[in-house]
Amino acid sequence: QVQLVESGGGLVQAGGSLSLCCAASGGTFSTYAMGWFRQAPGKEREFVAGVSRSGGSTFYADSVKGRFTISRDNAKNTVYLQMNSLKPEDTAVYYCAARTTAGYISDYSTYAYWGQGTQVTVSS
């Protein structure tokens, strides 16, 4: 069983930056691909970014490409999401997740373990 705890959310003005962290425990972190998802009020949960087990491959939703960067440190059991040039439409609860089954990395059903989420609010 893997436990995931996100941190780093908050309130920021449009154009600003935030850095999210997700600390993992209870499993072998390096065996899981990791992803970040977000859910805004009244909307479905959507894929934001994903990173392979080694960190060598990264994937992004078109809406965040060029602005967000996902990375991981397997020695620290941590995955990060650096968010730059934030927009009001980035406002959501952000979740990190550990992927346990094959399929598209953007498919949330391939992730078995989820954190509790952290709120990101971008003001205009």
Side-chain angles (χ1 to χ4, degrees):
Q1 190 78 2
V2 177
Q3 291 80 46
L4 302 171
V5 179
E6 302 97 337
S7 62
L11 173 65
V12 65
Q13 288 189 331
S17 298
L18 279 175
S19 182
L20 304 184
C21 295
C22 173
S25 61
T28 305
F29 181 69
S30 61
T31 65
Y32 299 101
M34 298 296 295
W36 285 96
F37 290 77
R38 66 187 182 187
Q39 188 166 19
K43 295 187 176 181
E44 294 187 353
R45 191 169 299 192
E46 65 173 354
F47 172 78
V48 175
V51 62
S52 62
R53 289 173 290 181
S54 67
S57 297
T58 56
F59 310 86
Y60 297 95
D62 287 343
S63 59
V64 306
K65 202 170 292 184
R67 299 188 297 122
F68 291 11
T69 303
I70 188 171
S71 61
R72 66 189 295 162
D73 186 336
N74 286 343
K76 295 182 178 180
N77 290 352
T78 303
V79 61
Y80 306 94
L81 185 68
Q82 177 64 41
M83 305 185 294
N84 298 328
S85 302
L86 283 161
K87 304 175 181 180
E89 52 263 44
D90 295 318
T91 295
V93 177
Y94 283 70
Y95 300 89
C96 73
R99 189 160 174 259
T100 54
T101 59
Y104 290 108
I105 198 166
S106 59
D107 182 355
Y108 71 85
S109 69
T110 65
Y111 295 78
Y113 303 112
W114 294 81
Q116 83 289 349
T118 186
Q119 177 70 46
V120 170
T121 303
V122 184
S123 63
S124 58

